[in-house]
Amino acid sequence: MTTSTVTPTGATPVVRLYDRMYHDRLSPQEVLAVRERVRAMADEVVAPAAHAIATGDERVEGFPREVFDELARRGLFRIPFAGDVGGDDLTHPATATAVAVEEIAYHSNSVAAVFDVHCILAGNALKHGTDKQKQQWLRPLVAGEIVGSFATSEPGASSDLAPTAVQTRADRTGDGWVLNGTKRWITNSPVAAFVVVLARTDDRLTTFIVPTNAPGVSVGLPDRKIGNRGQLTADVTFSDVRLTDDDVLGRPGEGLKIALQTLTYGRIGIGAAGVGMAQAAFDHMTAHLTTRHAFGKPLGANQHWQFAVAEYATQLEAARSTYLKAALRMDEGVDFPEPEAAMAKLLGTRLSVDIARDAVQVFGGMGFVQERGADGATSVVSTLYRDSKIGEIYEGANEIQKWVIARRVLGRDVTG
């Protein structure tokens, strides 16, 4: 594994500690090769643009288009998919995709989130499509010719996807369907060519492929968030959108299973993104602890920070191994690899917040700024602090992950 050195503006060079800390005995050789390949493209393509992405305005022009296009050219979006749609046709695509997310998130969780929704959510959902749908939508998605989006959340429904909670409806007509409703927090929607939409059909749920340029589809102004500014999210409203049976993804009434399986995969990806941010925060924090002096000694000479580093190193080991195990089970054909998927999401995202918070503390005033006025020096850890929090919230809040784990331990009869 190539060990890269990260040098943010005005900061001490930071060497990744992954190779020293983590001895991977889980990943197959093809996955290790993907990690090295994606690390190189992330260092070359994502890292130079990361600060601009993290501090940019959340409008359509703020979408990291040049980075997206270059990652597409280098084949990033081929990793999760089979050869018949232009993918890499890997034996362990879920595990390779998860490590790719980690490597991208090390530099930019915004770009990792774009990749997650484009490939893991929208792309994975399209695997349930017909050959015609795959050729029309999935093949250009894999090539990066279009951007994909995935819509389950609504103003009144997010973690709860029961048919009674979902208000977006698709009603049967003589020659197809009429779609009405609003989806909220929909990543990539301002720049997407299509949205995979979960809608209520009678008393069940169905997924539809909805082109964003279809009459009656309206994408709102992107949200302005505290972090992940390169991950554009917006409301998507459907007003009497007419669809045909060719727009149904999978079978009518089977949308909930498609959505839940896709979101389970997504949670593994979000756990991996958390590990990527946690590793970045850890690397910057430890570098500062060894080079910054106070009271005549390095900050790292204080036992408080020594114990914190030891705890975080141990938790990074556990979090990375957990998401790899969940992904490997998925590659073995387990659609819902629980409790590992829930554990991976819980561990990785919580850890990224914890280490980023302590990294800000270690850097002091420099940890709290985006850019220092005196010399233009930028702060990586402040970006990590802002970006990491969303991981505990989206694709199933961490409280939901605890419930999933508890249900495995105590049983459905007890937990409900």
Side-chain angles (χ1 to χ4, degrees):
M1 177 66 67
T2 301
T3 302
S4 58
T5 302
V6 183
T7 312
T9 304
T12 303
V14 174
V15 177
R16 293 198 193 205
L17 297 176
Y18 169 92
D19 296 330
R20 186 192 308 171
M21 293 169 51
Y22 191 75
H23 306 102
D24 194 340
R25 295 298 181 267
L26 295 173
S27 296
Q29 187 58 46
E30 70 170 5
V31 174
L32 294 174
V34 166
R35 184 184 287 278
E36 186 156 7
R37 177 162 64 92
V38 176
R39 177 176 295 189
M41 72 172 78
D43 288 348
E44 294 167 11
V45 178
V46 181
H51 180 69
I53 292 171
T55 56
D57 192 14
E58 292 177 272
R59 291 296 178 258
V60 172
E61 56 272 20
F63 180 74
R65 175 65 66 178
E66 291 184 3
V67 170
F68 181 91
D69 289 345
E70 182 60 21
L71 292 175
R73 190 186 70 78
R74 296 187 182 213
L76 179 69
F77 308 141
R78 296 199 301 263
I79 292 170
F81 301 106
D84 61 355
V85 292
D88 283 342
D89 210 21
L90 298 176
T91 305
H92 303 87
T95 311
T97 300
V99 302
V101 171
E102 180 191 341
E103 294 298 330
I104 297 295
Y106 185 90
H107 292 301
S108 173
N109 195 47
S110 287
V111 178
V114 169
F115 174 52
D116 174 87
V117 173
H118 181 71
C119 288
I120 296 181
L121 299 190
N124 181 73
L126 288 174
K127 291 180 183 178
H128 297 273
T130 63
D131 288 341
K132 180 181 177 181
Q133 289 172 333
K134 290 177 184 178
Q135 294 305 313
Q136 180 180 0
W137 298 110
L138 186 52
R139 180 173 283 277
L141 179 147
V142 172
E145 297 168 0
I146 60 174
V147 180
S149 189
F150 182 85
T152 56
S153 297
E154 298 182 353
S158 183
S159 294
D160 183 4
L161 295 180
T164 54
V166 174
Q167 297 301 303
T168 300
R169 295 186 56 89
D171 296 310
R172 202 64 157 116
T173 64
D175 57 352
W177 305 82
V178 176
L179 179 67
N180 284 282
T182 297
K183 295 295 185 180
R184 178 153 289 173
W185 318 120
I186 307 307
T187 296
N188 294 347
S189 60
V191 295
F194 71 92
V195 185
V196 174
V197 178
L198 183 69
R200 182 162 48 162
T201 51
D202 295 325
D203 59 347
R204 304 189 71 181
L205 299 175
T206 301
T207 45
F208 294 86
I209 306 171
V210 184
T212 53
N213 63 358
V217 178
S218 176
V219 180
L221 201 64
D223 309 304
R224 284 193 168 113
K225 310 182 297 298
I226 65 171
N228 269 27
R229 293 181 181 173
Q231 176 198 6
L232 301 186
T233 65
D235 282 13
V236 183
T237 301
F238 309 99
S239 299
D240 292 331
V241 179
R242 295 194 171 275
L243 304 170
T244 70
D245 286 335
D246 289 340
D247 298 314
V248 175
L249 182 61
R251 295 180 180 178
E254 295 184 357
L256 182 58
K257 181 178 180 180
I258 292 173
L260 292 178
Q261 191 276 329
T262 298
L263 289 169
T264 299
Y265 190 178
R267 287 165 186 167
I268 297 172
I270 297 303
V275 171
M277 286 187 287
Q279 186 72 62
F282 185 85
D283 291 353
H284 285 279
M285 180 175 75
T286 53
H288 199 67
L289 287 171
T290 58
T291 57
R292 176 74 170 182
H293 286 67
F295 304 104
K297 60 183 180 180
L299 288 177
N302 294 288
Q303 190 179 67
H304 168 80
W305 291 119
Q306 293 173 14
F307 281 11
V309 165
E311 289 283 352
Y312 287 148
T314 303
Q315 292 171 40
L316 267 167
E317 165 76 27
R320 183 175 287 115
S321 294
T322 303
Y323 92 65
L324 285 172
K325 185 178 178 183
L328 286 166
R329 289 192 67 208
M330 182 164 279
D331 284 329
E332 291 171 354
V334 181
D335 288 340
F336 298 92
E338 299 294 3
E340 291 88 354
M343 289 176 172
K345 206 265 187 183
L346 176 64
L347 286 172
T349 59
R350 184 172 61 191
L351 185 59
S352 65
V353 173
D354 288 346
I355 302 184
R357 182 185 60 248
D358 268 357
V360 169
Q361 189 72 16
V362 165
F363 274 84
M366 193 58 204
F368 194 67
V369 301
Q370 292 183 10
E371 183 176 304
R372 189 164 55 200
D375 55 8
T378 60
S379 172
V380 174
V381 297
S382 67
T383 293
L384 289 165
Y385 194 33
R386 288 186 293 106
D387 286 358
S388 61
K389 180 57 192 175
I390 188 59
E392 296 185 308
I393 298 170
Y394 61 10
E395 294 192 34
N398 278 8
E399 291 77 10
I400 298 295
Q401 308 314 310
K402 292 179 181 180
W403 176 68
V404 171
I405 298 165
R407 188 171 60 182
R408 285 291 180 128
V409 176
L410 300 173
R412 291 175 180 265
D413 291 343
V414 173
T415 59

